[in-house]
Amino acid sequence: METDAARVICDITNTPIFVPEGKGEINVCKAVQDMIYEREKLAEIRTLVKQIQKGRLTIEQAAEDSNMAVEQFKEAMSKLPQEAV
């Protein structure tokens, strides 16, 4: 799909798909797959954070469960909206 068309679709549907600058084409299927993956990862981190808050997991265990380094997991935790946790 042309990038201009992708931008219009993103604006109209308020879909958070990354559209690169300039002319060219974008693989919309890949963009949607990436968006779904990111939302699933966010949901996983949110669940692990709740387990940490309840004392069922340590940050180290949660990081291991999500296949992240502890610092990466802490950074991901800091990006969660407060109302999401």
Side-chain angles (χ1 to χ4, degrees), residues 45 59-60 62-64 66-79:
I45 291 169
I59 290 179
E60 292 77 13
E64 182 180 334
S66 61
N67 297 317
M68 296 177 149
V70 173
E71 289 306 315
Q72 287 176 307
F73 188 81
K74 286 180 180 179
E75 182 179 333
M77 280 178 52
S78 72
K79 292 180 182 177

Side-chain angles (χ1 to χ4, degrees), residues 34-51:
D34 291 347
M35 183 179 66
I36 291 168
Y37 173 80
E38 289 299 319
R39 294 197 50 94
E40 288 173 349
K41 195 68 172 170
L42 179 65
E44 175 188 355
I45 291 169
R46 185 179 300 130
T47 300
L48 291 169
V49 168
K50 287 180 181 180
Q51 296 301 311

